[in-house]
Amino acid sequence: MNASMSLVHVPGGPLLLPAEEVTLLLRHLASHWLDSADADDSGLEPETVEALVGALTEVADRIDAECIALMPLSEEGEAGRDGGVPPPL
C-alpha cells in the first residue's frame, strides 16, 4: 500500500497532517485489511480483522466528527456549509 500525505510545517511547532488525509488513510488501511483477510492463504483471523477494521473506522469517524464540530457556522447556522476546510491534526 502506497500513501502520500501533505505535511504542514508550523515554524517552531510540530508537523501537521490534514485531517481528511488522516481519515482517508485510516479507511484505506481498513479496506486493505478486509481485502487481505478475504484471501484464502492470508492466515488472518476474520474476527480479529473485523475488530481492527471497526476500531480504525471508529477513530476515523471521531476525527471527522471533531473536525465538523470545529468548522465555523454558516449564515444559516449549519456547520460546513460555508465551504470551510477541516483543520489539520
Side-chain angles (χ1 to χ4, degrees):
M1 178 175 89
N2 293 327
S4 63
M5 303 201 72
S6 304
L7 297 175
V8 178
H9 180 262
V10 177
L15 288 175
L16 304 175
L17 300 169
E20 76 177 52
E21 289 186 28
V22 172
T23 58
L24 181 63
L25 177 64
L26 292 173
R27 294 180 200 286
H28 184 75
L29 181 58
S31 174
H32 184 72
W33 281 349
L34 284 175
D35 292 343
S36 295
D38 288 340
D40 292 332
D41 60 349
S42 71
L44 300 173
E45 294 183 23
E47 298 82 14
T48 303
V49 171
E50 188 175 317
L52 291 170
V53 165
L56 283 181
T57 302
E58 184 178 319
V59 170
D61 289 346
R62 281 190 298 192
I63 292 170
D64 285 343
E66 289 292 326
C67 288
I68 290 168
L70 291 173
M71 293 180 78
L73 296 178
S74 67
E75 292 180 17
E76 291 82 28
E78 296 180 17
R81 297 285 180 169
D82 62 353
V85 176
L89 291 177

